[in-house]
């Protein structure tokens, strides 16, 4: 490996400086507060899982999209025979399901309501807003098949964005129940349904890009129009054996975009012969009614929202923030009633979502949301001469024990150098310790923002600083 590469972070990963960390931690704290306000409890799962967890859900093809690595050769002795393969987790819904089945949640009263915040890894093509290491914050509700739970998870996401000050979001809600309903009634198996949902998701996202003025190209690099995207999908459906009336109905989902009332009315006319599709529409309708009670103000119902992941079965949704440009989707989620069962657990309905934390933090910056910042310290304690240097350590310690954030000089700098550094870091107070003042039990307390100073008794320093900084 060349020296240049050795000292760079791996492609698609990032280093975070303190200022950025402050924004990220702020985002996380707001997210936690909102999730907990609705009764969700935090869980943590390993950064890596057995590859089989993801293979079982998405098939061998997922190997191309995630980081898979062999176990340690000595794991042979753990009883595996050959060491198992591991995957860095690409998302946290699968680990949450695993935990539900075998990790201690199985005996909990239903619904089980959990949340997580943690990093994920995907072999994605890096771009602004798209990383190979990124963070997700999400919730899952296990055990409720009812539309109130779909409404609640959507409301939690909407409320989180509002509390973060990101009020300009666009929320699109659809249901995969319609598509799955028509396809399964016409004998299309689940694996093919998943492929079709993937194509629809891609086509819908390309159409949105074209509508937003972004160029979209086909495999040969030729620019595509909206019509071209639909023609391609038409061909894909035809080639996989979905033809005639069924194909026309599938393509109709692209026209079913608008207010809840409009879309539900039109969709019920189109799909009235398909029992499962009608049930999905009724479920969606009930979710939208519940959503109204939860005061989620505006959304578009869009039956072309299909989500890229294979496991969704019913209501699906996504939140976009336009100022983020190409990677504007900050949240995706929906109902996945079969996944726990597919993993060998009982038949437990489930719904949930994941935010892309990195995109939320970027949106906070772009939208100019004020983030509470803290200075590195409240106080710097500075010695004017070498002989009192150790005394500064004692004073600093005394202040810290009273809850003040304090630093001392570890570089043996001059008083002036220390004062100018403190100014640079925005430290509001300096306690200046000199032999003359110290001999009478005093120090100089300097307000660096107002550039005023006074001599005060050492015993009073902590109280005065705490009072002035409202530290309680
Ligand atoms: P998904 O698990 O694919 O439904 O993604 C949920 C959310 O995670 C998306 O809406 C994005 O905000 C975020 N996300 C997904 N992939 C990436 C990535 N490679 N880099 C940054 N954020 C991502």
């Amino acid at each position: 490996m060349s020296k240049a590469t050795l000292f760079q972070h791996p492609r698609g990963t990032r280093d975070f400086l303190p200022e950025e960390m402050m924004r990220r931690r702020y985002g996380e704290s707001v997210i936690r507060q909102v999730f907990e306000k609705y009764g969700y409890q935090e869980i943590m799962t390993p950064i890596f899982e057995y590859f089989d967890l993801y293979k079982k859900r998405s098939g061998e093809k997922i190997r191309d999209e995630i980081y898979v690595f062999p176990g340690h050769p000595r794991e042979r002795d753990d009883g595996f025979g050959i060491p198992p393969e591991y995957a860095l987790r690409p998302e946290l819904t699968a680990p949450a399901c695993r935990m539900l089945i075998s990790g201690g949640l199985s005996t909990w009263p239903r619904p089980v309501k959990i949340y997580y915040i943690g990093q994920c890894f995907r072999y994605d093509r890096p771009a602004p807003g798209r990383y190979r290491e990124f963070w997700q914050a999400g919730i899952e509700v296990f055990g409720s098949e009812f539309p109130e739970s779909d409404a609640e998870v959507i409301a939690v996401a909407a409320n989180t964005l509002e509390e973060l000050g990101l009020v300009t979001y666009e929320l699109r809600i659809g249901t995969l129940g319609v598509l799955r309903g028509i396809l399964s009634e016409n004998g299309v198996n689940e694996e093919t349904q998943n492929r079709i949902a993937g194509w629809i998701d891609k086509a819908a996202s390309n159409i949105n890009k074209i509508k937003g003025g972004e160029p979209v190209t086909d495999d040969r690099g030729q620019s595509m129009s909206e019509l071209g995207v639909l023609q391609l999908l038409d061909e894909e459906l035809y080639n996989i054996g979905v033809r005639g009336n069924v194909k026309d109905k599938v393509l109709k989902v692209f026209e079913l975009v608008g207010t809840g009332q409009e879309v539900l009315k039109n969709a019920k006319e189109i799909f009235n012969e398909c029992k499962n599709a009608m049930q999905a529409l009724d479920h969606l309708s009930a979710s939208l009614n519940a959503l109204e009670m939860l005061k989620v103000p505006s959304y578009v119902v869009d039956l072309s929202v299909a989500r890229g992941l294979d496991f969704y079965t019913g209501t699906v949704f996504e939140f976009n923030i336009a100022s983020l440009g190409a990677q504007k989707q900050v949240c995706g989620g929906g109902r996945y009633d079969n996944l726990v069962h597919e993993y060998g657990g009982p038949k437990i309905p489930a719904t949930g979502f994941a935010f892309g934390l990195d995109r939320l933090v970027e949106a906070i910056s772009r939208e100019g949301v004020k983030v509470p910042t803290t200075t590195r310290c409240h106080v710097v304690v500075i010695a004017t001469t070498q002989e009192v240097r150790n005394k500064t350590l004692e004073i600093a310690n005394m202040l810290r024990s009273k809850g003040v954030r304090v630093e001392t000089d570890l570089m043996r700098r001059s008083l002036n150098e220390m004062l100018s550094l403190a100014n640079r870091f925005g430290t509001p107070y300096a306690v200046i310790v000199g032999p003359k003042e110290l001999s009478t039990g005093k120090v100089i307390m300097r307000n660096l923002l107002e550039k005023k100073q006074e001599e005060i008794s050492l015993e009073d320093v902590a109280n005065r600083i705490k009072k002035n900084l409202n530290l309680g």
Side-chain angles (χ1 to χ4, degrees):
M1 186 179 268
S2 81
K3 207 167 162 188
T5 329
L6 193 60
F7 293 109
Q8 276 169 7
H9 50 72
R11 206 160 115 74
T13 70
R14 289 150 298 159
D15 296 322
F16 300 105
L17 288 166
E19 207 183 310
E20 178 67 2
M21 281 313 295
M22 244 184 287
R23 254 199 302 272
R24 295 179 70 86
R25 293 294 184 220
Y26 167 72
E28 275 180 41
S29 73
V30 172
I31 289 170
R32 266 177 224 285
Q33 268 169 32
V34 180
F35 289 180
E36 288 174 13
K37 197 163 72 178
Y38 287 80
Y40 290 78
Q41 290 183 292
E42 187 170 12
I43 57 157
M44 191 155 87
T45 63
I47 294 270
F48 61 98
E49 295 278 353
Y50 290 123
F51 171 58
D52 281 353
L53 184 75
Y54 292 102
K55 184 170 143 184
K56 171 120 189 74
R57 189 195 68 196
S58 306
E60 178 64 24
K61 68 177 185 335
I62 195 154
R63 189 184 288 276
D64 291 342
E65 295 160 33
I66 66 178
Y67 287 87
V68 183
F69 56 95
H72 193 285
R74 288 213 208 114
E75 285 185 56
R76 224 180 275 280
D77 307 334
D78 292 351
F80 286 106
I82 48 166
E85 278 189 306
Y86 294 109
L88 290 178
R89 63 182 182 204
E91 51 83 46
L92 280 113
T93 301
C97 289
R98 176 186 58 63
M99 195 168 172
L100 182 80
I101 299 166
S102 62
L105 290 176
S106 59
T107 55
W108 280 35
R110 306 283 156 78
V112 174
K113 302 198 340 177
I114 49 102
Y115 82 84
Y116 52 77
I117 301 180
Q119 68 245 74
C120 301
F121 304 84
R122 293 185 192 173
Y123 184 69
D124 257 335
R125 189 165 42 82
R130 190 167 61 216
Y131 309 101
R132 290 180 175 169
E133 182 195 36
F134 61 99
W135 273 254
Q136 284 193 338
I139 65 172
E140 315 290 346
V141 184
F142 293 107
S144 170
E145 68 195 281
F146 301 112
E148 298 86 275
S149 56
D150 298 271
E152 178 170 293
V153 294
I154 295 174
V156 174
N159 195 208
T160 308
L161 291 174
E162 281 151 22
E163 293 289 322
L164 284 167
L166 300 171
V167 286
T168 58
Y169 62 77
E170 175 208 52
L171 163 58
R172 306 183 87 80
I173 308 176
T175 173
L176 266 178
V178 169
L179 183 73
R180 290 201 186 276
I182 321 163
L183 293 174
S184 53
E185 277 189 21
N186 285 282
V188 179
N189 67 25
E190 207 179 307
E191 204 188 320
T192 312
Q193 287 176 28
N194 292 344
R195 281 181 76 184
I196 294 174
W199 293 335
I200 292 184
D201 184 54
K202 179 122 192 276
S205 126
N206 281 341
I207 289 173
N208 278 332
K209 280 187 195 157
I210 294 167
K211 281 189 175 140
E214 266 181 70
V216 170
T217 51
D218 64 14
D219 289 350
R220 287 160 294 148
Q222 303 283 327
S223 161
M224 286 177 93
S225 66
E226 216 176 305
L227 191 65
V229 171
L230 287 175
Q231 272 166 352
L232 177 66
L233 178 63
D234 194 304
E235 273 168 37
E236 283 169 329
L237 289 170
Y238 185 87
N239 291 341
I240 211 167
V242 175
R243 299 179 185 171
N245 192 22
V246 185
K247 175 163 66 68
D248 292 346
K249 285 201 172 164
V250 169
L251 290 170
K252 275 275 183 236
V253 295
F254 288 92
E255 291 165 29
L256 293 165
V257 182
T259 66
Q261 258 185 347
E262 271 165 23
V263 174
L264 287 167
K265 181 173 158 285
N266 295 340
K268 282 184 173 175
E269 279 167 21
I270 297 170
F271 303 114
N272 65 354
E273 279 164 21
C274 174
K275 192 169 132 264
N276 289 343
M278 291 300 273
Q279 266 174 4
L281 290 169
D282 284 340
H283 187 98
L284 178 63
S285 167
S287 306
L288 298 181
N289 288 339
L291 211 49
E292 202 171 322
M293 296 297 126
L294 290 166
K295 298 267 176 297
V296 174
S298 61
Y299 52 82
V300 174
V301 173
D302 178 349
L303 292 199
S304 69
V305 174
R307 313 280 314 128
L309 299 169
D310 327 53
F311 52 78
Y312 291 114
T313 53
T315 306
V316 278
F317 57 92
E318 50 197 38
F319 285 83
N320 300 315
I321 294 183
S323 61
L324 290 175
Q327 307 305 328
K328 65 181 176 178
Q329 196 197 107
V330 292
C331 177
R335 178 166 283 285
Y336 52 98
D337 285 347
N338 298 336
L339 192 56
V340 177
H341 189 54
E342 278 166 22
Y343 275 144
K347 196 146 179 32
I348 298 178
T351 175
F353 68 73
F355 276 118
L357 182 68
D358 311 82
R359 294 185 190 174
L360 289 182
V361 175
E362 180 60 26
I364 286 174
S365 301
R366 290 203 191 187
E367 306 251 319
V369 173
K370 280 254 166 306
V371 171
T373 52
T374 47
T375 53
R376 153 173 165 151
C377 270
H378 297 125
V379 180
V380 55
V381 184
I382 312 169
T384 57
T385 63
Q386 190 55 28
E387 61 186 296
V388 292
R389 187 168 294 282
N390 274 353
K391 189 69 187 171
T392 63
L393 305 184
E394 191 188 348
I395 295 171
N397 237 20
M398 178 273 289
L399 289 171
R400 287 184 195 120
S401 74
K402 309 226 156 139
V404 183
R405 281 188 285 119
V406 189
E407 66 180 321
T408 52
D409 173 23
L410 302 179
M411 301 294 293
R412 302 204 168 181
R413 289 197 164 98
S414 73
L415 173 63
N416 278 343
E417 280 171 334
M418 283 306 289
L419 288 174
S420 86
L421 257 186
N423 274 326
R424 193 170 141 202
F425 289 126
T427 309
Y429 285 94
V431 167
I432 302 166
V433 183
K436 190 168 123 260
E437 295 81 9
L438 207 55
S439 65
T440 58
K442 295 197 167 156
V443 288
I444 293 168
M445 188 174 95
R446 185 173 168 87
N447 181 326
L448 294 169
L449 305 179
E450 292 175 13
K451 309 227 175 315
K452 283 196 264 183
Q453 67 179 48
E454 60 182 311
E455 213 175 84
I456 65 168
S457 154
L458 200 47
E459 287 150 28
D460 295 337
V461 178
N463 283 343
R464 284 286 294 282
I465 287 177
K466 283 177 79 172
K467 185 161 163 263
N468 292 1
L469 290 171
N470 285 327
L471 295 179

